[in-house]
């Protein structure tokens, strides 16, 4: 007589596999999330460069940068009393920074003709790492 036994995994084998998966996740997880933070900083820098190019085009057309009160919205919507405006200077609506905060625009700026910045992940001035400000100066 031939008997066939069906064998499954023992509880110990399953626990060993779970421990191995946990160790791999603990090693890979922080590296993965660090890359996400780096990509958000790169995105903010790229958006600031794009805004600067659009602001330069605005200045070429009108002879001046938008005022602080007009803000970056002047790149998409014609400001009142601006006859030389030839926009929109951006193809899409002005996005928030990668952390969901508005970009800070000041004209005239403290560091140049215009100051443009993101306050980073924490949304407050200053900070270190991903919380540090990303600026055009």
């Amino acid at each position: 007589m031939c008997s066939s036994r069906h064998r499954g995994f023992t509880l110990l084998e399953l626990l060993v596999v779970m421990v191995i998966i946990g160790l791999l996740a603990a090693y890979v997880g922080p590296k993965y999330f660090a890359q996400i933070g780096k990509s958000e900083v790169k995105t903010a820098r790229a958006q600031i460069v794009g805004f600067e190019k659009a602001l330069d085009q605005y200045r070429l057309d009108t002879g001046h940068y938008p005022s602080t009160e007009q803000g970056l919205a002047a790149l998409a919507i014609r400001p009142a009393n601006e006859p030389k405006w030839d926009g929109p200077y951006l193809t899409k609506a002005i996005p928030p920074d990668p952390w969901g905060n508005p970009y800070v625009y000041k004209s005239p700026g403290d560091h140049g003709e215009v100051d443009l910045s993101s306050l980073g992940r924490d949304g407050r001035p200053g900070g270190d790492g991903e919380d540090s400000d990303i600026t055009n100066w």
Side-chain angles (χ1 to χ4, degrees), residues 112-124:
E113 292 185 74
V114 294
D115 289 354
L116 189 56
S117 64
S118 163
L119 298 178
R121 181 180 61 183
D122 64 355
R124 294 187 305 244

PDB file of all heavy atoms in Angstrom, residues 112-124:
ATOM      1  N   GLY A 112      17.772  89.585  -5.017  1.00  0.00           N
ATOM      2  CA  GLY A 112      17.845  89.867  -6.445  1.00  0.00           C
ATOM      3  C   GLY A 112      16.599  90.626  -6.862  1.00  0.00           C
ATOM      4  O   GLY A 112      15.839  91.108  -6.022  1.00  0.00           O
ATOM      5  N   GLU A 113      16.404  90.720  -8.173  1.00  0.00           N
ATOM      6  CA  GLU A 113      15.213  91.434  -8.636  1.00  0.00           C
ATOM      7  C   GLU A 113      13.933  90.750  -8.175  1.00  0.00           C
ATOM      8  O   GLU A 113      12.946  91.401  -7.881  1.00  0.00           O
ATOM      9  CB  GLU A 113      15.237  91.569 -10.156  1.00  0.00           C
ATOM     10  CG  GLU A 113      16.343  92.494 -10.649  1.00  0.00           C
ATOM     11  CD  GLU A 113      16.258  92.701 -12.134  1.00  0.00           C
ATOM     12  OE1 GLU A 113      15.346  93.449 -12.572  1.00  0.00           O
ATOM     13  OE2 GLU A 113      17.083  92.110 -12.845  1.00  0.00           O
ATOM     14  N   VAL A 114      13.970  89.416  -8.175  1.00  0.00           N
ATOM     15  CA  VAL A 114      12.844  88.643  -7.637  1.00  0.00           C
ATOM     16  C   VAL A 114      13.388  87.532  -6.761  1.00  0.00           C
ATOM     17  O   VAL A 114      14.435  86.961  -7.033  1.00  0.00           O
ATOM     18  CB  VAL A 114      11.941  88.027  -8.735  1.00  0.00           C
ATOM     19  CG1 VAL A 114      11.218  89.092  -9.521  1.00  0.00           C
ATOM     20  CG2 VAL A 114      12.713  87.118  -9.651  1.00  0.00           C
ATOM     21  N   ASP A 115      12.695  87.250  -5.671  1.00  0.00           N
ATOM     22  CA  ASP A 115      13.014  86.118  -4.812  1.00  0.00           C
ATOM     23  C   ASP A 115      11.886  85.104  -4.959  1.00  0.00           C
ATOM     24  O   ASP A 115      10.710  85.452  -4.854  1.00  0.00           O
ATOM     25  CB  ASP A 115      13.111  86.545  -3.342  1.00  0.00           C
ATOM     26  CG  ASP A 115      14.342  87.388  -3.050  1.00  0.00           C
ATOM     27  OD1 ASP A 115      15.185  87.548  -3.954  1.00  0.00           O
ATOM     28  OD2 ASP A 115      14.447  87.891  -1.924  1.00  0.00           O
ATOM     29  N   LEU A 116      12.278  83.883  -5.202  1.00  0.00           N
ATOM     30  CA  LEU A 116      11.314  82.809  -5.385  1.00  0.00           C
ATOM     31  C   LEU A 116      11.798  81.624  -4.563  1.00  0.00           C
ATOM     32  O   LEU A 116      12.954  81.223  -4.672  1.00  0.00           O
ATOM     33  CB  LEU A 116      11.231  82.450  -6.863  1.00  0.00           C
ATOM     34  CG  LEU A 116      10.174  81.513  -7.338  1.00  0.00           C
ATOM     35  CD1 LEU A 116       8.787  81.996  -6.965  1.00  0.00           C
ATOM     36  CD2 LEU A 116      10.259  81.364  -8.843  1.00  0.00           C
ATOM     37  N   SER A 117      10.922  81.094  -3.710  1.00  0.00           N
ATOM     38  CA  SER A 117      11.369  80.001  -2.851  1.00  0.00           C
ATOM     39  C   SER A 117      10.229  79.071  -2.458  1.00  0.00           C
ATOM     40  O   SER A 117       9.058  79.423  -2.526  1.00  0.00           O
ATOM     41  CB  SER A 117      12.032  80.548  -1.587  1.00  0.00           C
ATOM     42  OG  SER A 117      11.107  81.270  -0.818  1.00  0.00           O
ATOM     43  N   SER A 118      10.649  77.871  -2.053  1.00  0.00           N
ATOM     44  CA  SER A 118       9.767  76.905  -1.409  1.00  0.00           C
ATOM     45  C   SER A 118      10.289  76.749   0.006  1.00  0.00           C
ATOM     46  O   SER A 118      11.495  76.722   0.224  1.00  0.00           O
ATOM     47  CB  SER A 118       9.826  75.563  -2.136  1.00  0.00           C
ATOM     48  OG  SER A 118       9.299  74.533  -1.324  1.00  0.00           O
ATOM     49  N   LEU A 119       9.412  76.647   0.960  1.00  0.00           N
ATOM     50  CA  LEU A 119       9.833  76.530   2.349  1.00  0.00           C
ATOM     51  C   LEU A 119      10.162  75.096   2.756  1.00  0.00           C
ATOM     52  O   LEU A 119      10.394  74.817   3.926  1.00  0.00           O
ATOM     53  CB  LEU A 119       8.758  77.117   3.269  1.00  0.00           C
ATOM     54  CG  LEU A 119       8.490  78.603   3.059  1.00  0.00           C
ATOM     55  CD1 LEU A 119       7.374  79.086   3.978  1.00  0.00           C
ATOM     56  CD2 LEU A 119       9.749  79.428   3.263  1.00  0.00           C
ATOM     57  N   GLY A 120      10.177  74.184   1.809  1.00  0.00           N
ATOM     58  CA  GLY A 120      10.557  72.804   2.096  1.00  0.00           C
ATOM     59  C   GLY A 120       9.436  71.997   2.708  1.00  0.00           C
ATOM     60  O   GLY A 120       8.289  72.426   2.795  1.00  0.00           O
ATOM     61  N   ARG A 121       9.786  70.808   3.138  1.00  0.00           N
ATOM     62  CA  ARG A 121       8.790  69.853   3.639  1.00  0.00           C
ATOM     63  C   ARG A 121       8.025  70.380   4.842  1.00  0.00           C
ATOM     64  O   ARG A 121       6.823  70.158   4.970  1.00  0.00           O
ATOM     65  CB  ARG A 121       9.484  68.539   3.981  1.00  0.00           C
ATOM     66  CG  ARG A 121       8.548  67.465   4.482  1.00  0.00           C
ATOM     67  CD  ARG A 121       9.261  66.195   4.804  1.00  0.00           C
ATOM     68  NE  ARG A 121      10.251  66.450   5.861  1.00  0.00           N
ATOM     69  CZ  ARG A 121      11.079  65.533   6.317  1.00  0.00           C
ATOM     70  NH1 ARG A 121      11.068  64.326   5.827  1.00  0.00           N
ATOM     71  NH2 ARG A 121      11.933  65.827   7.282  1.00  0.00           N
ATOM     72  N   ASP A 122       8.722  71.103   5.746  1.00  0.00           N
ATOM     73  CA  ASP A 122       8.054  71.555   6.972  1.00  0.00           C
ATOM     74  C   ASP A 122       7.223  72.817   6.775  1.00  0.00           C
ATOM     75  O   ASP A 122       6.437  73.182   7.645  1.00  0.00           O
ATOM     76  CB  ASP A 122       9.064  71.752   8.099  1.00  0.00           C
ATOM     77  CG  ASP A 122      10.075  72.864   7.816  1.00  0.00           C
ATOM     78  OD1 ASP A 122      10.055  73.428   6.706  1.00  0.00           O
ATOM     79  OD2 ASP A 122      10.882  73.152   8.716  1.00  0.00           O
ATOM     80  N   GLY A 123       7.357  73.508   5.634  1.00  0.00           N
ATOM     81  CA  GLY A 123       6.554  74.704   5.366  1.00  0.00           C
ATOM     82  C   GLY A 123       6.940  75.907   6.203  1.00  0.00           C
ATOM     83  O   GLY A 123       6.187  76.870   6.277  1.00  0.00           O
ATOM     84  N   ARG A 124       8.125  75.876   6.841  1.00  0.00           N
ATOM     85  CA  ARG A 124       8.589  76.990   7.673  1.00  0.00           C
ATOM     86  C   ARG A 124       9.956  77.438   7.180  1.00  0.00           C
ATOM     87  O   ARG A 124      10.733  76.621   6.678  1.00  0.00           O
ATOM     88  CB  ARG A 124       8.692  76.553   9.141  1.00  0.00           C
ATOM     89  CG  ARG A 124       7.344  76.221   9.757  1.00  0.00           C
ATOM     90  CD  ARG A 124       7.457  75.961  11.242  1.00  0.00           C
ATOM     91  NE  ARG A 124       8.431  74.921  11.520  1.00  0.00           N
ATOM     92  CZ  ARG A 124       8.140  73.746  12.064  1.00  0.00           C
ATOM     93  NH1 ARG A 124       6.900  73.469  12.402  1.00  0.00           N
ATOM     94  NH2 ARG A 124       9.074  72.847  12.295  1.00  0.00           N
TER      95      ARG A 124
END
